[in-house]
Amino acid sequence: MTAVRTALAVYKDEGEALLERVSAHASEHDITLFPVSLDEFAENPGSWLEKSRHVLALVNDGDLSRIIHGARVHDYSVGIIPVSPRSLTWRLFNIPRKLEESLPLAFMAEGRAVDVVLCNDEVVLGMVMLGETPFLDQRSKGYVSEHPSQLSRLWTFIQSCFVSIANLFRIKPFPVTLTTGRDVTLKTAVTGIVLIENEVHSAAARLVNTSISVQDAKVSSVLIAPKSVVEYLAFLVIALFQGSRIGKKLPAAISYIKTDRLEIAGSKTLPYFVDGRRREASKLLVRVEPQSVRINLNDEFYERHESAGEKKDTMKVDNLPQNEARVEMIQKHLPFFTRAIEEDFKDLFLLLKDNARGSRDYVILMVLSSLVASLGLFLNSAAVIIGAMVLAPLMAPIISLSMGALRNDTALIRTSLSTIGLGVLLALGASALAALIVPLQKITPEIAGRLQPSLLDLGVAVGSGVAGAYAHARESVMKSLPGVAIAVALVPPLCVAGIGVGWMSWEVISGASLLFLTNLVGIALAGLLTFMMLGYAPVKRATKGLGWSLALVLLVSIPLAISFNNINQHWQIEHRLLVQEFTVNGKPLRLADISLNVSREELRVRADVISAQMLAPGDLQELKLQLEAMLDRPVALEAAYRLRL
């Protein structure tokens, strides 16, 4: 590479240490060097530029922008030697870290022209940050430090994290009017705007789904406009832990504008940061001057930011709040959960009100699904029962009940309860009739599986309620409703209860009814909480419905907890029996396929007895006595003998 014959070495105090080495390099290569302090150069640049039209910048990050600004006005080329080893200029302009490599580059005779971004006529090296953007702004607000050598990187990182955590609770949207270079105007509210020049690998840049170039005559703007604190935290996780989003959908709180000119006007004075330097203005004008300054940079920089020429503006602003009601709402206070406005829930309310009514189709499907489920229970066929779950329409009015309880809508609550009650009566009647007609009175495994509900069943109901409410609120996932219906299984326990009515068996009726009540209460509460988190009513309005739902859940949880404790005890007993090796009258044996049934008088144990020797009736009696001694309770043993050779 050809070197210049003369150069100005513009420096500040911190650059004096490098000046001697720079002068030595210039002398070795027959370059005439004119050292000048930055203040002297800025006072009378014309007289110094008569000596040379090439400026070697031995300054910090903040002062480099002044030199580049001067290059726009006075048309001189720039070579850069960052004075601090922690300077961001090394990375932003891809300058070699070793001085023996960066000096020849800085003295290169023919630098290529690069784009320059100006914010209110101030040169931007990395980015401009406007508003509060916790965890995204450590770097943008930390470019400038009076004593950089006294702060370790670890301490700076820890300090930035603490500041960001504190700022999470100070996020406040503010109104802005955005005008692009194509005279497109948007009135919205944001919590922060990041204007990216050379900081193409920052956390903010990773949020967008397109590659960013600094040589395309455009400035990239990332607009952050969450509708709630939860939404901000959600996109923050994406920003911090996810890699490139090229080709992916933008996070819900993010919009993106790419244009050659962007005007940001606020209703009051806006504080902002240009490469970490704090500024204030009521209006920001950010514009690009293409190919306006010649800077000595290596080929790798130009390859990474290859100019693509003039392109159309990019406008991805669907996530910006542009509805007047939405803008006004978030300006007053950024809610913890996203608050829905009338435009968001109008269609959903119409759907839920329609679902709450018992129509002819509802009656027909309830009867058919109940009959199919009852036959599947008698046949012990999981496939038939699953088909009945898909047919059953009982989930819809329960989700409507959740919304009614959330918003204290008495009419919706009354209609939903009436429809649910109708469905319960139809299911009980159809299944009781099936039990009377079918000449079988045997508790199949499918029936038995619905007679001892526990807290685990409540967990299934809660998860299904969340999924059901979310699927109703998001049209794009409505297709998941059949899966929700299968997961929660509302009709089968009702049918088991109806079979119990037909058999006049209180044990069957009580166990299955408790399971259905568990599903009903769990879905209603989970749906209420989900709708509240999605913003369909404030917490204050939901207090009454939430209180009643929690009370019912706690009431149902008492027998479920008792049942869960019994199941746990049964599992522990089964485990003890499975791992225990018995010796009966000198014959070793083990138990397999164990099932337990507890009554007030005794513990009934059904098991296969595995032995390598023939067993006599007296051996089983001895085994029964050993079990009673081991379990410390009366045992009724039902054993099937299996010979192991």
Side-chain angles (χ1 to χ4, degrees):
M1 71 180 59
T2 305
V4 295
R5 305 317 309 161
T6 61
L8 300 175
V10 179
Y11 65 93
K12 288 195 73 173
D13 294 342
E14 58 269 26
E16 289 183 350
L18 277 174
L19 188 57
E20 184 177 344
R21 297 182 64 182
V22 171
S23 298
H25 178 88
S27 177
E28 290 175 8
H29 293 81
D30 296 326
I31 300 172
T32 304
L33 193 67
F34 300 97
V36 55
S37 71
L38 177 60
D39 292 336
E40 289 181 281
F41 178 73
E43 184 178 347
N44 190 9
S47 62
W48 288 99
L49 291 173
E50 290 177 0
K51 302 178 184 294
S52 176
R53 307 297 297 183
H54 183 73
V55 171
L56 192 69
L58 304 173
V59 294
N60 58 31
D61 296 332
D63 292 320
L64 179 59
S65 65
R66 294 174 58 188
I67 292 179
I68 294 178
H69 187 282
R72 295 174 45 250
V73 179
H74 300 287
D75 190 28
Y76 55 78
S77 58
V78 178
I80 305 173
I81 300 293
V83 297
S84 170
R86 296 193 300 110
S87 171
L88 291 173
T89 306
W90 301 101
R91 178 173 50 77
L92 295 181
F93 292 103
N94 200 37
I95 296 174
R97 289 277 180 174
K98 296 180 179 179
L99 196 60
E100 55 269 24
E101 296 177 8
S102 59
L103 278 173
L105 180 64
F107 280 111
M108 188 172 60
E110 297 180 358
R112 292 168 60 178
V114 298
D115 296 349
V116 173
V117 172
L118 302 173
C119 178
N120 286 356
D121 290 326
E122 183 175 3
V123 171
V124 179
L125 297 181
M127 68 168 66
V128 178
M129 182 72 71
L130 176 68
E132 289 295 339
T133 53
F135 291 100
L136 293 180
D137 54 11
Q138 297 102 316
R139 185 179 292 168
S140 64
K141 292 183 180 179
Y143 279 175
V144 181
S145 176
E146 294 182 2
H147 307 288
S149 61
Q150 298 176 9
L151 294 174
S152 68
R153 291 186 179 182
L154 178 61
W155 171 247
T156 303
F157 175 77
I158 294 173
Q159 190 179 42
S160 299
C161 286
F162 275 110
V163 171
S164 293
I165 291 171
N167 287 342
L168 278 176
F169 303 97
R170 293 202 295 265
I171 299 174
K172 184 173 177 58
F174 53 91
V176 291
T177 301
L178 307 172
T179 305
T180 71
R182 305 292 182 182
D183 293 326
V184 177
T185 300
L186 295 173
K187 291 185 177 181
T188 185
V190 297
T191 60
I193 299 177
V194 183
L195 300 145
I196 301 170
E197 169 56 353
N198 288 297
E199 268 291 18
V200 296
H201 298 295
S202 63
R206 291 201 304 269
L207 292 170
V208 299
N209 56 355
T210 184
S211 59
I212 296 176
S213 172
V214 300
Q215 293 299 302
D216 56 2
K218 305 285 183 182
V219 60
S220 294
S221 307
V222 179
L223 299 101
I224 305 166
K227 301 179 183 67
S228 65
V229 175
V230 170
E231 190 173 80
Y232 181 85
L233 292 174
F235 103 83
L236 189 63
V237 171
I238 296 173
L240 295 180
F241 300 108
Q242 182 167 298
S244 173
R245 291 189 55 82
I246 294 177
K248 300 176 183 177
K249 187 178 179 181
L250 286 174
I254 297 299
S255 294
Y256 178 65
I257 295 176
K258 188 175 183 179
T259 182
D260 60 349
R261 181 180 182 277
L262 182 65
E263 183 181 287
I264 306 169
S267 59
K268 57 183 180 180
T269 301
L270 302 172
Y272 64 98
F273 290 81
V274 178
D275 298 333
R277 301 182 295 276
R278 194 178 192 279
R279 304 286 187 261
E280 288 187 355
S282 60
K283 181 183 294 185
L284 280 71
L285 177 59
V286 182
R287 57 191 178 90
V288 180
E289 290 187 350
Q291 309 291 299
S292 60
V293 174
R294 288 173 290 121
I295 302 179
N296 289 3
L297 302 173
N298 57 28
D299 292 337
E300 187 177 340
F301 175 86
Y302 296 105
E303 291 171 1
R304 187 174 64 184
H305 303 292
E306 184 177 358
S307 175
E310 186 68 23
K311 288 184 178 181
K312 294 181 180 179
D313 286 0
T314 300
M315 299 284 291
K316 298 179 180 180
V317 294
D318 292 341
N319 293 333
L320 279 179
Q322 299 178 48
N323 181 287
E324 290 184 9
R326 171 74 69 193
V327 172
E328 183 179 354
M329 177 188 296
I330 65 173
Q331 278 185 72
K332 293 178 180 177
H333 171 65
L334 188 65
F336 189 75
F337 295 118
T338 302
R339 289 277 303 278
I341 58 178
E342 183 178 354
E343 184 178 298
D344 296 332
F345 56 66
K346 181 172 60 177
D347 293 339
L348 175 60
F349 275 177
L350 292 175
L351 173 64
L352 293 179
K353 286 182 178 180
D354 185 57
N355 288 344
R357 301 187 185 96
S359 63
R360 182 178 62 180
D361 294 336
Y362 176 83
V363 172
I364 294 173
L365 287 176
M366 276 304 307
V367 173
L368 290 175
S369 63
S370 300
L371 290 173
V372 172
S374 299
L375 295 175
L377 290 165
F378 284 124
L379 292 169
N380 195 41
S381 172
V384 175
I385 296 172
I386 290 173
M389 297 175 193
V390 177
L391 282 175
L394 199 53
M395 183 77 167
I398 298 178
I399 297 297
S400 298
L401 177 64
S402 297
M403 181 64 83
L406 175 71
R407 299 185 62 85
N408 290 324
D409 189 331
T410 306
L412 185 57
I413 293 173
R414 187 183 300 114
T415 305
S416 300
L417 286 175
S418 299
T419 304
I420 294 169
L422 174 62
V424 170
L425 292 176
L426 290 171
L428 290 175
S431 55
L433 181 61
L436 293 173
I437 295 174
V438 175
L440 296 173
Q441 193 166 343
K442 176 186 176 183
I443 296 181
T444 63
E446 288 290 346
I447 294 176
R450 291 169 173 85
L451 298 182
Q452 289 185 309
S454 68
L455 290 174
L456 298 177
D457 295 286
L458 180 60
V460 172
V462 169
S464 300
V466 172
Y470 188 81
H472 277 81
R474 298 289 186 265
E475 186 177 351
S476 60
V477 294
M478 281 288 284
K479 60 185 179 182
S480 300
L481 279 178
V484 175
I486 293 171
V488 74
L490 284 162
V491 165
L494 265 181
C495 292
V496 172
I499 291 171
V501 172
W503 290 349
M504 299 299 290
S505 171
W506 172 248
E507 180 183 358
V508 175
I509 295 172
S510 59
S513 297
L514 178 59
L515 177 57
F516 172 74
L517 188 60
T518 298
N519 289 339
L520 174 61
V521 173
I523 292 171
L525 173 64
L528 186 153
L529 291 173
T530 303
F531 284 136
M532 184 176 71
M533 292 179 66
L534 292 174
Y536 289 100
V539 176
K540 185 177 180 181
R541 185 172 182 177
T543 303
K544 185 177 180 180
L546 188 60
W548 276 106
S549 298
L550 285 173
L552 289 172
V553 168
L554 291 175
L555 189 63
V556 170
S557 296
I558 296 173
L560 294 179
I562 296 172
S563 176
F564 182 78
N565 183 60
N566 292 336
I567 292 173
N568 185 47
Q569 290 181 359
H570 287 188
W571 181 86
Q572 292 182 5
I573 293 173
E574 288 179 9
H575 181 70
R576 288 178 62 190
L577 297 180
L578 282 172
V579 300
Q580 180 69 37
E581 291 188 3
F582 297 91
T583 302
V584 177
N585 297 326
K587 302 173 183 177
L589 55 86
R590 300 178 65 91
L591 300 182
D593 296 333
I594 301 170
S595 65
L596 303 177
N597 186 18
V598 181
S599 64
R600 293 181 180 179
E601 295 80 15
E602 61 188 3
L603 174 65
R604 186 174 297 275
V605 179
R606 294 185 179 91
D608 290 348
V609 180
I610 304 174
S611 174
Q613 302 178 39
M614 296 294 295
L615 297 179
D619 296 333
L620 295 179
Q621 182 63 31
E622 176 62 24
L623 176 61
K624 174 181 178 298
L625 294 175
Q626 289 189 23
L627 292 175
E628 289 179 337
M630 177 181 177
L631 302 175
D632 194 25
R633 68 179 71 184
V635 172
L637 178 62
E638 296 181 11
Y641 173 65
R642 287 163 53 184
L643 181 64
R644 183 182 62 193
L645 299 178

